[in-house]
Amino acid sequence: MAVRTKPEPSRSERRLSWALLGVMALITTGVFMASFRQDPFLTGKAGTASPGEPMPPKAVSNFSFPDWAQTLAKDLTTAGPMETFDAQTLADKIDGKAELYLEAGFTSLRTQRVALKEDPSLWAEFFLFSMNHSESAYAVFSQQRRSSAVPLPDMAFGYRAANAVCAAAGNFYLEGIGSSEDPRLMQAVASTLTPLIKSIPPSADILQALQRFPESMKAHEKAVLYLGNAFGYEGFQRTYAVPILEDGSAMTVFIVTAHKAIDGPSAVAAYVEFLEENGARRLSPVHAEGDMVVLDHFGFVEVVFPHRGLVAGVHEAQEQKVAERAARHLWQHMKNLEADLSGKI
């Protein structure tokens, strides 16, 4: 019986085999190299601004990531490993609030759970948010300020409220949230965070912005910073707003430190046009001063004026005379402050 021999592969079949082997080698090399390439989200370098919008400026800081392990109160012990979250996983940890951080310029989050040594059933969790700029950190701090906040002593931006200790320092926002309001637990939480916060000087830009408000308005305790837009108007990019009560009338005084116009008067004109397009009508000022524009917007009084390159005014006041008085107080203080600073140069 004749034995069949296996036919030898043709020359074209050999070429095809070598070509396939070459492609497989390239794919393998690509996968290997990709495994060593840094993922921008995992390294905290991914942007969070919407397409077409400028990224907030990067923070310039000589301070490394604060380490609460160095300041952990002696009454506390860690209860589990530290966790890290990026832009993609932030919502897994703080579902419902992630958007606030992402829009403000979130970089990364580190968390650590701790417990009271003498009673482990009392526990707390530290949250350390790294933001891409000091104003980003202050924005999320101020927009979440609790109504029961009591300022922490000797600290620019920090408070204690019920079961929470919160603060902004440099480009970091820190929280210590307790499982209860137990005084022992919350004192230990405050003792842990206070040295961290004090080790990072507050932003000079933020302090300067708050200094433009009269001291009686308590901007350091109540100011809220809005990034990107304020009062439904996208032409304002950085707005410090302070809720006040004047003669029993509630309103918000504000100063815009960054806007899309070329100068202060142009920014005022653009904002007034926006209000008028949305139903506002101009009112005759009781006391015209500082190029102020007064408007009625569906029963609320709006006052706006330029000051150098800034925009300032009153938002949603109930009475015109009271609104104008508050606006004049703000205008006069900004004018006097500028004169004082000029005299010191």
Side-chain angles (χ1 to χ4, degrees):
M1 178 182 293
V3 179
R4 293 185 179 181
T5 59
K6 187 176 181 180
E8 293 290 328
S10 65
R11 180 175 299 177
S12 61
E13 289 175 329
R14 287 195 181 96
R15 290 176 178 172
L16 179 60
S17 297
W18 283 111
L20 290 173
L21 288 172
V23 171
M24 291 176 66
L26 288 174
I27 293 173
T28 302
T29 302
V31 172
F32 180 78
M33 294 299 292
S35 66
F36 287 91
R37 190 176 299 130
Q38 289 185 324
D39 185 326
F41 285 102
L42 295 178
T43 56
K45 297 178 181 178
T48 57
S50 302
E53 294 183 0
M55 283 291 293
K58 288 293 182 182
V60 179
S61 175
N62 295 322
F63 299 94
S64 59
F65 220 113
D67 183 7
W68 48 61
Q70 301 297 319
T71 62
L72 189 65
K74 59 181 178 58
D75 296 329
L76 296 176
T77 183
T78 56
M82 183 183 71
E83 295 183 294
T84 303
F85 301 87
D86 54 50
Q88 290 179 315
T89 59
L90 180 62
D92 297 338
K93 184 64 176 177
I94 56 168
D95 187 25
K97 288 188 176 182
E99 202 62 31
L100 169 66
Y101 291 88
L102 294 174
E103 290 179 354
F106 170 81
T107 300
S108 64
L109 166 65
R110 294 183 183 182
T111 67
Q112 176 66 61
R113 184 167 290 198
V114 297
L116 205 60
K117 287 181 179 178
E118 64 181 48
D119 186 357
S121 67
L122 295 175
W123 57 270
E125 190 164 12
F126 294 121
F127 296 78
L128 204 164
F129 295 86
S130 176
M131 309 296 290
N132 64 16
H133 194 267
S134 58
E135 288 189 317
S136 300
Y138 184 78
V140 296
F141 163 76
S142 61
Q143 289 182 42
Q144 299 179 97
R145 185 186 285 112
R146 301 190 183 192
S147 58
S148 59
V150 177
L152 291 172
D154 304 321
M155 198 172 299
F157 311 125
Y159 67 85
R160 184 169 169 176
N163 68 325
V165 176
C166 306
N171 60 308
F172 300 105
Y173 171 58
L174 303 91
E175 287 184 341
I177 309 297
S179 61
S180 80
E181 299 180 27
D182 184 277
R184 298 167 299 166
L185 176 64
M186 295 315 301
Q187 182 56 48
V189 169
S191 297
T192 298
L193 290 182
T194 298
L196 289 181
I197 300 164
K198 288 187 175 181
S199 68
I200 305 175
S203 165
D205 290 339
I206 298 174
L207 291 174
Q208 183 183 48
L210 298 179
Q211 191 180 12
R212 294 190 177 104
F213 291 94
E215 188 175 348
S216 61
M217 295 181 178
K218 299 182 178 180
H220 278 77
E221 298 178 18
K222 300 188 296 183
V224 178
L225 172 59
Y226 297 104
L227 301 177
N229 75 75
F231 317 137
Y233 178 58
E234 295 184 353
F236 293 161
Q237 295 179 309
R238 284 201 300 275
T239 304
Y240 289 84
V242 181
I244 66 169
L245 198 63
E246 188 87 3
D247 288 349
S249 180
M251 67 192 77
T252 298
V253 291
F254 66 90
I255 297 176
V256 182
T257 62
H259 47 73
K260 295 182 179 180
I262 58 174
D263 55 29
S266 299
V268 168
Y271 181 53
V272 169
E273 181 180 358
F274 164 77
L275 291 174
E276 290 179 326
E277 288 176 349
N278 287 274
R281 59 182 180 85
R282 295 198 187 207
L283 300 173
S284 298
V286 177
H287 298 287
E289 202 166 13
D291 297 325
M292 291 183 185
V293 179
V294 185
L295 306 99
D296 177 277
H297 192 217
F298 298 104
F300 288 104
V301 179
E302 303 284 329
V303 183
V304 60
F305 61 89
H307 181 78
R308 298 297 183 181
L310 309 177
V311 176
V314 172
H315 175 62
E316 289 192 344
Q318 297 169 348
E319 298 181 28
Q320 181 178 350
K321 288 185 179 180
V322 179
E324 287 189 31
R325 185 166 67 244
R328 288 198 308 273
H329 187 195
L330 177 61
W331 174 78
Q332 189 64 57
H333 177 78
M334 295 173 72
K335 184 179 177 182
N336 293 343
L337 180 63
E338 182 183 16
D340 290 343
L341 293 176
S342 298
K344 293 178 181 179
I345 296 177

